[in-house]
Amino acid sequence: MNGPFDAPSQSFDDLSIQLHTYLEPEQVEAVHRAYCFAENAHEGQTRRSGEPYISHPLAVAGILANMHMDHQCLMAALLHDVIEDTGVPKHILGREFDEEVAELVDGVSKLKNIFQSRAEAQAENFQKMTLAMSRDIRVILVKLADRLHNMRTISYLPAEKRKRIAKETLEIYAPIASRLGMNDIRIEFEELGFRAMHPLRSSMIEKAVKRARGNRKEVVANILETIRAALERDNIEAEVFGREKHLYSIYDKMRTKHKSFSEIMDVYAFRIIVDDVDTCYRVLGAVHNLYKPVAGRFKDYIAIPKANGYQSLHTTLFGMHGIPIEIQIRTRIMDMVANNGIAGHWLYKASDDSASGSHKRAREWMQDLLEIQQSAGNSLEFIENVKIDLFPDEVYVFTPRGDIYDMPQGATPIDFAYAVHTDIGNTCVACRIDRRLAPLSATLESGQTVEIITAPGAQPNPAWLGFAVTGKARSSIRHTLKNQQRSESINLGRRLLERTLKSQNQSLEDIPADRLSAVLSERNYSDFNALLEGIGLGNQMAYVIARQLISDDEVETPDKQKPLAIKGTEGLVVTYARCCKPIPGDPIIGHISAGRGIVIHTETCRNMTELREKPEELMTVQWDPKVNQEFSVELRINVEHEKGIVAVLASTATAVDANIERISLVEKDARLSTVNMVLTVKDRVHLARVIKRLRTQKGITRIVRTKN
Ligand code: MN
């Protein structure tokens, strides 16, 4: 294999000579320090080949030096296995060298971990994630160089490992190189990967190519001669080369396009390199004049470049005896871009501004793509992919099954849940991030595994709107809450109205339709449900509406009516006052609060004094005998000093099925402490049982249920 980045330096002296051609002396000195540090750290370790370990990072640095990468990148290359393989922590590198170098080395190490933990996930998403996780493009370049050297020395590995690494190279590294336009490296990855993955198939194709080459020699020479002569006749200066297909690309065509070996080999391929764009089109005219072009095979990638910046004219011709001839025509610069992609910015533009950072270089590359695209008069959309990959505003997270989801920066498990499915979002109750329970408001990071825990019948919580960021999650939450509240309000409104009518020995069915519509239009409601919703939300008083409906001034005010039964399942339109925390069994009163529905207080609540001044907002309510819910209640417990009393209280309460919501030591003096405990119980009977059990504990002197 003859890659352009072949023949890495054999010793630091070789590397140093090369570095002096494009780096400042003090930069080369910094690289040398990194080399010494790495050599020291890897002391005693060897490669499978038997060479000292340092030969590997040195070779990786050599590959990057051939790309004219900056000194920090080369330092990171020399140190790239130090964190992982020798246990030197990142902050030591930061102190010894600089933060940027430490970040680069850390980035390369992190990529390695991600790969090892998730070998089974989809390759394409891996490519995306790899790019997204590396804020600095140099991390990718070091990683590519690292993999390139490992592939060049893969023969030393055991067969099993060889196959796994080759597969990963073909599925992930070659496509990444391709996205970055680094064609030379992509081809080398493919050739080495193919050989390691399918040694038999590759050697068969190799032999077949050698045999075919003999037969083809004369034809190739013939066509070359004809093309050169034609260009000379038109006074066009150009270089013409015969191109041989790479083994992997032959194999890939046979497999994916179902072509036979001879069909592929019967095609003759040439590349023509010229000085400027105009000449490209003149060459095109000349060769089309020479041989008849195959219809539909002409592609103008100069006017419409590929996403990675590739530009060229492609055409296929019928040669003599009808043999197909494929021709690529491009300028020298286009050829450089086609071979090196993003690395071209270090290779050929380094002298412009040696201080320009890697991010700037990557942006310049993007800028170039953009300009090429704009001059071609195209939409900018086409580079969106590349852009998102290099400058991520996304994070990539896994489902427990290994599927990858891309989420915007700042996304939370709630956003993730809605991204997976609206139903999952709506019934989500908790989540695990990397197998640990985490708050639903946590900010997700690339590489995390997120598991959403759902419960049937669970409903979105309005508080989610405080942190959900994706449009999908926010609009789904709002939509569901709105629907939920509306249907709950309508239900409650109907119950309130029916109850009032019943106290007059009337029912909704008895109300004449014209009477109903008169009330609706007078009150400005579009339909009956809207009116019921208004009652349920507390915007209308049920007895006022009832009086209107039966045109009777005799309708009694709420307090004389049969109480409304509270079931505990009314949802958003019936809430329980936080001041007094009523539980089933407590005598209660409903307060109709405009826009919020009914708030339930205990009759003895301190706030009732004030609320009773507006009796029309109060209504009699009572607990439904079949309430099946848990309610919070707060206890204040005086204890004598006992070791571990908080734990004793908690386990005692839990033993009688009360859930602890909060427990805290609020006061303490020499003899006594006060503990505040918020727990959930079913009703007063349950609470009595809890208190009774607590009293049996040693050291407890007093238990009071607190109502503010
Ligand atoms: Mn390595």
Side-chain angles (χ1 to χ4, degrees):
M1 190 66 225
N2 290 312
F5 303 133
D6 246 2
S9 315
Q10 295 302 299
S11 69
F12 187 81
D13 289 342
D14 297 336
L15 181 65
S16 171
I17 291 167
Q18 189 182 5
L19 295 185
H20 276 293
T21 64
Y22 73 96
L23 292 180
E24 301 299 322
E26 58 280 12
Q27 293 175 332
V28 180
E29 181 44 39
V31 178
H32 185 237
R33 277 200 298 119
Y35 171 78
C36 295
F37 187 95
E39 189 178 37
N40 212 1
H42 289 293
E43 177 79 64
Q45 299 176 339
T46 51
R47 294 276 287 176
R48 287 248 178 199
S49 62
E51 286 178 283
Y53 195 89
I54 189 68
S55 66
H56 166 64
L58 187 61
V60 174
I63 292 169
L64 293 163
N66 285 335
M67 297 185 206
H68 284 196
M69 295 297 299
D70 59 35
H71 68 287
Q72 286 174 324
C73 185
L74 294 167
M75 290 164 78
L78 288 164
L79 297 164
H80 82 267
D81 281 329
V82 155
I83 291 184
E84 199 67 23
D85 295 351
T86 75
V88 172
K90 179 184 167 191
H91 71 267
I92 296 283
L93 294 183
R95 207 175 56 202
E96 199 75 24
F97 303 101
D98 62 62
E99 275 314 313
E100 246 179 280
V101 172
E103 279 299 332
L104 288 172
V105 176
D106 190 49
V108 177
S109 308
K110 277 192 181 136
L111 280 184
K112 193 166 165 185
N113 289 335
I114 269 280
F115 277 107
Q116 276 169 355
S117 62
R118 290 289 171 169
E120 79 282 6
Q122 315 96 304
E124 193 195 338
N125 281 321
F126 247 117
Q127 297 164 30
K128 281 195 196 166
M129 190 159 71
T130 309
L131 291 165
M133 283 186 68
S134 325
R135 314 216 138 224
D136 192 322
I137 190 73
R138 289 177 297 181
V139 169
I140 297 288
L141 298 179
V142 173
K143 190 72 201 161
L144 290 179
D146 175 35
R147 177 50 61 105
L148 192 58
H149 183 246
N150 285 336
M151 287 304 294
R152 284 174 182 171
T153 52
I154 199 170
S155 59
Y156 296 105
L157 294 183
E160 205 32 54
K161 209 171 173 193
R162 215 149 54 198
K163 289 231 157 98
R164 184 180 64 74
I165 291 185
K167 185 165 185 274
E168 199 179 78
T169 302
L170 289 174
E171 287 181 352
I172 297 164
Y173 288 88
I176 288 177
S178 171
R179 270 167 193 258
L180 297 175
M182 304 166 80
N183 217 24
D184 286 341
I185 288 191
R186 189 211 76 205
I187 290 168
E188 193 172 348
F189 275 146
E190 286 179 351
E191 295 300 279
L192 294 171
F194 179 41
R195 247 185 257 173
M197 180 95 186
H198 302 294
L200 231 59
R201 291 175 218 188
S202 78
S203 78
M204 275 170 62
I205 294 179
E206 193 174 11
K207 277 182 201 136
V209 168
K210 271 190 189 135
R211 269 198 308 276
R213 196 182 287 148
N215 309 331
R216 288 162 51 96
K217 225 176 187 168
E218 207 179 315
V219 185
V220 171
N222 212 328
I223 298 171
L224 267 179
E225 198 39 54
T226 317
I227 295 176
R228 282 184 184 135
L231 294 178
E232 220 162 281
R233 264 201 309 280
D234 288 356
N235 282 326
I236 300 172
E237 249 182 73
E239 289 173 60
V240 190
F241 309 92
R243 278 192 309 126
E244 246 185 36
K245 289 234 166 11
H246 302 284
L247 302 187
Y248 182 72
S249 90
I250 295 172
Y251 171 68
D252 197 48
K253 275 211 175 85
M254 288 169 73
R255 200 182 42 163
T256 58
K257 299 196 173 159
H258 305 290
K259 292 197 170 177
S260 70
F261 179 76
S262 57
E263 269 177 285
I264 296 166
M265 288 311 284
D266 281 347
V267 176
Y268 290 79
F270 298 87
R271 181 172 302 151
I272 304 176
I273 307 285
V274 299
D275 283 330
D276 54 63
V277 176
D278 281 353
T279 317
C280 291
Y281 291 96
R282 284 175 62 213
V283 170
L284 183 73
V287 295
H288 279 185
N289 223 348
L290 194 60
Y291 300 115
K292 192 169 163 341
V294 177
R297 294 296 302 274
F298 169 62
K299 297 244 164 51
D300 188 345
Y301 291 121
I302 292 182
I304 302 166
K306 288 192 186 177
N308 60 13
Y310 176 87
Q311 286 187 294
S312 198
L313 298 177
H314 288 188
T315 187
T316 305
L317 312 165
F318 288 117
M320 52 275 199
H321 315 301
I323 46 170
I325 301 173
E326 281 177 6
I327 297 206
Q328 299 176 345
I329 307 161
R330 57 175 86 142
T331 67
R332 230 168 280 285
I333 292 170
M334 289 172 191
D335 197 44
M336 187 280 288
V337 171
N339 296 334
N340 303 299
I342 193 166
H345 275 270
W346 278 270
L347 251 183
Y348 292 86
K349 301 196 175 176
S351 52
D352 301 357
D353 176 10
S354 55
S356 79
S358 71
H359 218 61
K360 199 174 153 219
R361 290 284 171 76
R363 285 200 181 277
E364 281 169 6
W365 179 63
M366 290 288 308
Q367 193 56 38
D368 275 9
L369 292 190
L370 209 65
E371 273 164 23
I372 294 169
Q373 200 50 28
Q374 276 165 342
S375 67
N378 240 328
S379 94
L380 305 182
E381 234 170 79
F382 108 125
I383 55 159
E384 263 313 289
N385 274 331
V386 192
K387 198 186 89 189
I388 286 168
D389 290 347
L390 290 182
F391 305 105
D393 31 31
E394 293 187 329
V395 294
Y396 294 87
V397 290
F398 294 99
T399 67
R401 279 177 32 217
D403 295 335
I404 300 184
Y405 279 79
D406 49 339
M407 309 293 306
Q409 286 278 3
T412 62
I414 285 294
D415 296 294
F416 174 79
Y418 277 99
V420 175
H421 199 280
T422 310
D423 290 344
I424 305 245
N426 282 337
T427 57
C428 156
V429 289
C431 77
R432 289 198 186 92
I433 296 180
D434 291 336
R435 296 207 198 89
R436 282 208 198 132
L437 279 173
L440 289 169
S441 59
T443 303
L444 297 178
E445 286 170 29
S446 275
Q448 288 176 331
T449 299
V450 186
E451 181 189 349
I452 297 296
I453 302 162
T454 59
Q459 298 197 315
N461 183 337
W464 293 352
L465 288 170
F467 50 78
V469 299
T470 57
K472 178 162 188 205
R474 297 187 67 81
S475 65
S476 302
I477 295 168
R478 272 205 209 95
H479 184 76
T480 315
L481 286 177
K482 214 173 149 195
N483 280 346
Q484 186 187 332
Q485 191 183 30
R486 184 173 152 86
S487 73
E488 283 166 0
S489 309
I490 291 172
N491 276 339
L492 178 64
R494 186 184 297 274
R495 281 174 68 201
L496 290 171
L497 188 59
E498 267 172 348
R499 188 188 60 130
T500 314
L501 289 169
K502 206 170 170 194
S503 71
Q504 304 304 309
N505 290 320
Q506 298 261 0
S507 82
L508 274 174
E509 288 93 72
D510 300 337
I511 308 296
D514 55 339
R515 187 73 218 144
L516 184 60
S517 47
V519 173
L520 287 179
S521 67
E522 187 185 327
R523 297 263 160 187
N524 253 329
Y525 283 107
S526 55
D527 58 33
F528 187 47
N529 275 344
L531 173 66
L532 292 178
E533 189 187 0
I535 298 172
L537 284 174
N539 297 328
Q540 298 292 339
M541 293 293 151
Y543 72 93
V544 177
I545 301 294
R547 185 156 58 197
Q548 259 193 314
L549 285 173
I550 54 183
S551 20
D552 186 348
D553 289 343
E554 296 304 301
V555 176
E556 295 173 63
T557 48
D559 52 330
K560 289 178 195 139
Q561 293 168 359
K562 187 171 170 279
L564 177 80
I566 299 299
K567 297 178 176 137
T569 51
E570 287 84 357
L572 296 168
V573 284
V574 171
T575 50
Y576 303 92
R578 279 187 208 184
C579 43
C580 52
K581 295 203 169 69
I583 62 172
D586 289 337
I588 45 174
I589 283 189
H591 172 241
I592 299 172
S593 155
R596 286 177 59 199
I598 302 175
V599 182
I600 307 295
H601 292 262
T602 62
E603 274 186 1
T604 53
C605 177
R606 201 184 285 172
N607 291 330
M608 285 314 294
T609 328
E610 192 188 325
L611 296 177
R612 279 185 216 280
E613 284 168 17
K614 286 188 185 167
E616 69 280 7
E617 289 181 2
L618 297 180
M619 64 184 304
T620 51
V621 289
Q622 67 179 25
W623 295 102
D624 189 284
K626 288 189 294 265
V627 178
N628 191 12
Q629 263 227 311
E630 302 251 303
F631 295 84
S632 325
V633 64
E634 191 170 333
L635 297 181
R636 199 173 174 85
I637 306 168
N638 290 344
V639 291
E640 284 171 359
H641 285 313
E642 285 293 330
K643 222 178 170 189
I645 190 69
V646 171
V648 169
L649 290 174
S651 64
T652 308
T654 317
V656 273
D657 291 333
N659 284 318
I660 311 283
E661 282 185 348
R662 216 166 54 231
I663 186 163
S664 57
L665 205 62
V666 285
E667 275 171 44
K668 207 171 170 181
D669 63 25
R671 200 176 51 84
L672 268 185
S673 299
T674 304
V675 174
N676 248 5
M677 184 153 84
V678 178
L679 37 83
T680 61
V681 293
K682 290 192 181 61
D683 50 25
R684 278 173 75 107
V685 177
H686 188 192
L687 177 64
R689 222 167 66 226
V690 174
I691 292 178
K692 196 173 156 199
R693 182 69 76 92
L694 288 171
R695 286 217 168 101
T696 64
Q697 296 303 320
K698 209 172 107 198
I700 292 177
T701 56
R702 201 171 114 100
I703 303 180
V704 188
R705 176 177 169 202
T706 35
K707 298 176 204 166
N708 292 5

